[in-house]
Amino acid sequence: DQADVIGIAANDAEINEPVKVIIGGKARGMQALEAGKRYYLGTNGALTTTAPANAVKTISVGIAFSETELIMQLTTEEITDA
């Protein structure tokens, strides 16, 4: 199965509980990000600095601003770091 990515969940939730979704700007509350690194959606749903080679789509989620903040830049095009 596959789905379109529209943002990052801002909180954990159980089935049928509401979830706030961050669709742009800075996503706060992350842990152990590397500032300046681009993050991708991994095949297990986690963020990773390595674009998954075996994914159906490569989805760039954004760039880490700090250890706890991610500047959202959702795109399905693979972006190479210069």
Side-chain angles (χ1 to χ4, degrees), residues 10-79:
N11 59 288
D12 293 335
E14 298 293 326
I15 294 174
N16 295 324
E17 287 185 347
V19 174
K20 181 178 178 182
V21 177
I22 303 167
I23 60 171
K26 280 187 189 173
R28 294 178 174 88
M30 307 289 177
Q31 295 180 358
L33 298 178
E34 294 181 57
K37 292 273 190 172
R38 181 169 301 281
Y39 280 81
Y40 299 90
L41 181 64
T43 54
N44 62 354
L47 295 179
T48 177
T49 57
T50 306
N54 57 344
V56 174
K57 288 192 236 180
T58 299
I59 300 172
S60 172
V61 179
I63 298 174
F65 182 76
S66 68
E67 285 187 352
T68 59
E69 298 174 308
L70 185 74
I71 299 172
M72 300 287 294
Q73 296 177 338
L74 286 173
T75 179
T76 55
E77 295 180 46
E78 183 172 2
I79 299 173

